[in-house]
Amino acid sequence: MATIRDVAKLASVSIATVSHVVNGTRFVEPATSDRVRTAIHELGFEADGIARSLRVRKTSTMALIIPDLTNPFFPELATVIQQEAVRSQYDVVIHSTDVPHGNSEELLGHYLRTIRQKRYDAVIYAETLSATPAVQQLLATGVPVVVIGGTAHPEVDSVYIDDYAAARDVTAWFVAKGHRAIAHISGAAQMSSSEERRRGFLEGLAAAGLPARPDFDVAGTFLRDGGYQAMLQLLACSPRPTAVFAANDLTAIGAILACLDSGLRVPDDIGIVGFDDTMLASTYRPTLTTVYHGQREIGAEVVRLALARIRGEFPEERQKIIVPHRLVERQSA
Amino acid sequence: MATIRDVAKLASVSIATVSHVVNGTRFVEPATSDRVRTAIHELGFEADGIARSLRVRKTSTMALIIPDLTNPFFPELATVIQQEAVRSQYDVVIHSTDVPHGNSEELLGHYLRTIRQKRYDAVIYAETLSATPAVQQLLATGVPVVVIGGTAHPEVDSVYIDDYAAARDVTAWFVAKGHRAIAHISGAAQMSSSEERRRGFLEGLAAAGLPARPDFDVAGTFLRDGGYQAMLQLLACSPRPTAVFAANDLTAIGAILACLDSGLRVPDDIGIVGFDDTMLASTYRPTLTTVYHGQREIGAEVVRLALARIRGEFPEERQKIIVPHRLVERQSA
DNA sequence: TTGAAAGCGCTAACAG
DNA sequence: CTGTTAGCGCTTTCAA
C-alpha cells in the first residue's frame, strides 16, 4: 500500500506538500497539486487514518453502547445516530451488551476497555443496567460521554424523553376512555426508565382518584416473554384489568399474545398500550397504540452534543435535553 | 493521559520492559514486572491502541456491511458476528447502507473509503444491491473480504445457504400439502438471493408438473410494504393462489396484512410462508412458517473465515461454505 | 510557494 | 534479564 512518501517521490515534491493537497490545508500551486493528484491516483494512495489519528489525536469514530440489538427500538435509534454521524464524517461502532442473553456485565467491561484503548472520540451510552458505574468509569478517562436516558447524572450530558409524564399521559388517556381497572407491566428492574414509567402510571391513577392495586402492578423485563408472563399473572386477577400499560412495545406484544392464547380479544376485552413506537407497533395486528419515544430527535441531539463536546464546546454546564414524546393511537387500545 | 514513557519513568525501567509486561511478550523478573504493574495502576495507564496499530499494522477491527438495520434478520446476524468477534478481541463496526431509504450508493461509497482509511483488518459483506463492483473495489485494496450470500465471486470467500434448494423445498412442501395454485413474491431486484429463490420456486413447480403462471410470480422488495402491494396484486388474480411463498419474513408479514385487510384468513383461505426465521416469525400471529436462514452458523463461519484470512491462512482456494437451511413449520401455512 | 524535520506512542530488532 | 533505538505514516511548526 502506497504511502505519502511514495506519492511525494513520484510527484517530486515533499511529503508536506502531499499532505497539504490531500487535506486542502494550505495553498499549493495548481501545477504542483495536479502532479500530486496524478501521483495519488496512479498509486491508488489513500492516506493512512491510523497514522493520522496518532498524530492529530482523534479517531473520527464514536462508540454507541446499547443493551440489545434485538429490540427494534435500538436498531432504529442506531440507524438515526449513524446517519447523523456520517454527515460529520464520523463512524460509529455499536456495542451491544446483549442484556437479554445475560453476559452483559462481562461484555460491558470488555467494551469499556476497548473504547479506551482505541481512543474513540466520544461514547453514547444508551442506558444499560449498570449505568452509573460504567458512566463514572468512562468519565474518569476523559472521553466525552452522552447518555440516552434520564439517569440522574449531573456530570454528563443526556437526552431523553420524560418517561414519567409519558406514563402519566397514557394512564390519563385510559381513564378518559372510561377505564377504571388499569394495570401496568413494568420494564427491567433497576432501570430508570422502568421506574419513571411506573411512577407516572401510579401518579396517573392517583390523579384520577383511582386506587393503586398491588396486583395490577407487575414486573416485566422489556422483552416479549416478560410481557407474556406478566400478562398471564394479570389475567389471573379477579376482576381482571380492562386496560394494560406495557413498558415497551415488545412487552405489549407479549401481553397481547397472552391474551390471545387465553381466548381474549384485544382491544375488545382488554386494551393494551405499548411504548417506543417501533416498527413493530405499526406492523403487528392489532396495531399498537404506543408512545413515540423520539428516536429521531434523540439520535440527532445526541450526536450534536457529542460532536460539540469533542470540539470542546460548552465546558461548563452539562446539557439535559428532554425531547417530546407523543401518544400514537392505533388499534390495540 | 499517561504514556508508556511515564510508566517507564515511574517504575524506573525502559519503555521496552513496560511494553513487554503489558503484552506478556518476553520474560520479565517478577519484581520488575510488579513495579511496572503498580506504576500502570497508579497512572491509570492504558496502552494507546492507535500507536500500537500503526506499529503492528493491524487494528483488531473488522467492518460489517449490511443493507438494512431495520430488517430483524440483520441485527440478528450482526449480534452473532459481534459475539464471535469479541471472543478474538475483535471489534466490529456495522455499516448499514440503508437500502430501504435509498441513499445506499452514496453511503456505500463513503463506507468503502473509510474502511480503507481506517485500515480495518477485514470486511464482511452481506450482499447489498451493488455487490460486485463494491467487492471488486475492496479486493483491489487487499483487505480480506468475506461475503455473505451466494453472489458468484470466485475470488472471495463466501458463506451462505442454498437459496435455490430452500425455495424448491418450500414449493415441494406446498405441493405435498395439496396446493396447486402456488405463487411467489420475490425479493429486491438484482440480488442473487432473490433470483435464486425465484429459480427454486419455478423449479419446484416444474418438478411437480405444475405450470408457471406469470401472474403468480410477482416482484417484492424484501420489505413489508413490498409484500403488501405484491399480495394485493395476487389477490386480484382469478382464481387466486391458495399458497404464497414470500421471499422473506417481512414480505410474508406484509402479505398477511394484505390478506387480513382484504377479509381473508391465513392460513385458512391462503397459506403463506416466509424466509429467514427472524424473531418476527415466532412473534407474529399467525406465527410464520418460514425457512431458517442459518444466522447462527453463518455468523460463526464468517468470522472464522475472516480471522483465518487475516492470519494469512489458506491463501490458495477460496472457501465456499454452504450452511444448512431448515423449514420451520408454524401457523401461517 | 515549498521543504526539512520533529514527533505522536508504541513494538521489536539488536545489543549487552 | 533489560535497555537503546529505529521506525510505523502522518501533520505541522519553522524556515527559506
Side-chain angles (χ1 to χ4, degrees):
Chain A
M1 189 140 252
T3 77
I4 202 176
R5 224 167 288 271
D6 301 322
V7 177
K9 194 172 304 170
L10 185 57
S12 334
V13 294
S14 70
I15 62 171
T17 297
V18 177
S19 173
H20 284 122
V21 342
V22 167
N23 301 301
T25 177
R26 85 177 176 195
F27 183 84
V28 175
E29 185 76 7
T32 320
S33 75
D34 275 358
R35 269 197 346 272
V36 171
R37 257 184 280 275
T38 316
I40 286 176
H41 198 80
E42 202 152 312
L43 296 171
F45 168 78
E46 184 86 52
D48 186 327
I50 297 294
R52 176 164 213 286
S53 286
L54 178 60
R55 185 54 233 241
V56 305
R57 326 236 50 134
K58 110 193 230 335
T59 52
S60 299
T61 110
M62 46 185 145
L64 168 63
I65 300 182
I66 59 175
D68 180 13
L69 216 36
T70 257
N71 173 349
F73 174 70
F74 293 106
E76 289 176 15
L77 184 64
T79 298
V80 178
I81 289 174
Q82 301 233 34
Q83 287 168 349
E84 294 293 325
V86 98
R87 298 170 54 191
S88 302
Q89 321 274 34
Y90 260 79
D91 271 4
V92 5
V93 3
I94 301 172
H95 289 308
S96 166
T97 52
D98 208 18
V99 171
H101 298 98
N103 37 357
S104 61
E105 282 302 327
E106 185 190 333
L107 270 177
L108 182 60
H110 173 81
Y111 292 147
L112 260 25
R113 280 203 94 206
T114 76
I115 286 170
R116 286 197 63 189
Q117 276 182 186
K118 300 210 171 155
R119 300 296 197 262
Y120 294 138
D121 293 340
V123 7
I124 297 173
Y125 196 96
E127 178 171 61
T128 294
L129 295 165
S130 45
T132 315
V135 167
Q136 227 60 267
Q137 208 178 128
L138 241 16
L139 285 172
T141 80
V143 215
V145 176
V146 8
V147 167
I148 297 174
T151 357
H153 265 293
E155 65 282 43
V156 285
D157 299 312
S158 41
V159 7
Y160 47 98
I161 56 165
D162 188 339
D163 288 296
Y164 169 77
R168 218 190 28 200
D169 293 352
V170 170
T171 314
W173 182 82
F174 270 141
V175 170
K177 291 198 84 170
H179 289 284
R180 291 296 171 269
I182 309 171
H184 177 52
I185 301 176
S186 52
Q190 290 172 320
M191 292 186 60
S192 82
S193 51
S194 302
E195 286 158 11
E196 289 296 282
R197 288 172 203 173
R198 181 165 170 276
R199 207 163 63 78
F201 161 71
L202 262 14
E203 170 59 27
L205 251 31
L210 259 23
R213 292 182 43 173
D215 55 339
F216 276 15
D217 179 8
V218 325
T221 57
F222 276 143
L223 301 176
R224 187 191 62 190
D225 293 343
Y228 191 95
Q229 297 305 330
M231 191 70 210
L232 254 26
Q233 262 179 259
L234 251 18
L235 292 179
C237 299
S238 68
R240 56 175 156 69
T242 62
V244 174
F245 167 42
N248 71 356
D249 287 351
L250 246 26
T251 303
I253 286 175
I256 292 175
L257 293 178
C259 290
L260 297 179
D261 288 354
S262 305
L264 293 171
R265 292 155 46 89
V266 177
D268 313 71
D269 298 319
I270 196 160
I272 294 182
V273 354
F275 206 104
D276 286 349
D277 194 20
T278 58
M279 146 267 229
L280 288 177
S282 53
T283 298
Y284 206 75
R285 291 302 156 96
T287 54
L288 247 52
T289 294
T290 188
V291 177
Y292 173 60
H293 197 153
Q295 31 270 51
R296 274 229 83 79
E297 294 78 2
I298 290 177
E301 286 300 318
V302 106
V303 345
R304 193 180 61 70
L305 282 183
L307 292 174
R309 282 287 170 201
I310 289 171
R311 278 187 245 103
E313 288 170 19
F314 46 80
E316 291 314 332
E317 352 66 63
R318 296 293 152 167
Q319 308 278 316
K320 298 292 166 197
I321 296 183
I322 295 179
V323 140
H325 61 269
R326 171 172 25 97
L327 185 71
V328 181
E329 300 188 33
R330 294 206 185 84
Q331 299 169 339
S332 68
Chain B
M1 190 138 254
T3 78
I4 203 176
R5 227 166 285 273
D6 301 322
V7 177
K9 194 172 305 171
L10 185 56
S12 333
V13 294
S14 72
I15 62 170
T17 297
V18 177
S19 173
H20 284 122
V21 342
V22 167
N23 300 302
T25 178
R26 85 178 175 193
F27 185 83
V28 175
E29 185 75 5
T32 320
S33 76
D34 276 357
R35 271 201 340 273
V36 172
R37 256 183 281 275
T38 316
I40 286 175
H41 198 81
E42 201 151 314
L43 296 171
F45 168 78
E46 184 86 52
D48 186 328
I50 297 296
R52 178 165 212 285
S53 288
L54 177 59
R55 187 54 233 240
V56 304
R57 324 234 53 129
K58 112 193 227 335
T59 53
S60 298
T61 301
M62 46 187 147
L64 168 64
I65 300 182
I66 58 175
D68 181 13
L69 216 36
T70 257
N71 173 349
F73 174 71
F74 293 105
E76 288 176 15
L77 184 65
T79 298
V80 178
I81 289 175
Q82 302 233 32
Q83 287 168 348
E84 294 293 325
V86 98
R87 299 170 53 191
S88 302
Q89 321 275 32
Y90 260 79
D91 271 5
V92 4
V93 3
I94 302 171
H95 290 307
S96 166
T97 52
D98 207 17
V99 170
H101 297 98
N103 36 357
S104 62
E105 282 303 325
E106 183 190 333
L107 270 178
L108 181 60
H110 173 80
Y111 292 146
L112 258 26
R113 278 204 95 208
T114 76
I115 286 169
R116 287 197 63 188
Q117 277 184 184
K118 299 210 170 153
R119 301 297 197 259
Y120 294 138
D121 294 340
V123 8
I124 297 174
Y125 195 98
E127 177 171 61
T128 295
L129 296 164
S130 45
T132 313
V135 167
Q136 226 60 268
Q137 209 179 126
L138 241 15
L139 285 173
T141 80
V143 216
V145 176
V146 7
V147 167
I148 296 175
T151 357
H153 265 295
E155 66 281 45
V156 285
D157 299 312
S158 41
V159 6
Y160 48 97
I161 56 166
D162 187 339
D163 288 296
Y164 169 76
R168 220 191 26 203
D169 292 352
V170 169
T171 314
W173 182 83
F174 270 140
V175 171
K177 291 198 83 169
H179 290 283
R180 291 294 171 269
I182 308 171
H184 177 52
I185 302 175
S186 53
Q190 289 172 320
M191 291 185 61
S192 82
S193 52
S194 303
E195 286 157 12
E196 289 296 282
R197 288 173 201 171
R198 180 166 170 277
R199 207 163 64 78
F201 161 72
L202 261 15
E203 169 58 26
L205 250 32
L210 294 170
R213 293 181 43 172
D215 55 340
F216 276 12
D217 178 8
V218 323
T221 57
F222 276 144
L223 301 177
R224 186 191 64 191
D225 293 344
Y228 191 95
Q229 297 304 331
M231 191 69 212
L232 253 27
Q233 262 178 261
L234 251 18
L235 292 179
C237 300
S238 67
R240 55 174 155 69
T242 62
V244 175
F245 167 42
N248 71 356
D249 287 352
L250 245 27
T251 304
I253 286 177
I256 292 176
L257 293 176
C259 290
L260 297 180
D261 288 353
S262 305
L264 293 170
R265 293 154 47 91
V266 177
D268 312 71
D269 299 319
I270 196 160
I272 294 181
V273 355
F275 206 106
D276 286 349
D277 194 21
T278 57
M279 146 269 228
L280 287 177
S282 54
T283 298
Y284 206 77
R285 292 302 157 98
T287 54
L288 248 52
T289 294
T290 188
V291 177
Y292 172 61
H293 196 153
Q295 32 270 53
R296 274 229 81 80
E297 294 79 3
I298 290 178
E301 286 301 318
V302 106
V303 346
R304 192 180 62 70
L305 282 182
L307 292 173
R309 281 288 169 202
I310 289 172
R311 276 187 246 105
E313 288 170 19
F314 44 80
E316 289 314 329
E317 353 66 64
R318 297 293 151 167
Q319 307 280 315
K320 299 290 167 198
I321 296 182
I322 295 179
V323 139
H325 61 270
R326 170 171 25 95
L327 186 70
V328 182
E329 299 189 34
R330 294 207 185 84
Q331 299 170 340
S332 67

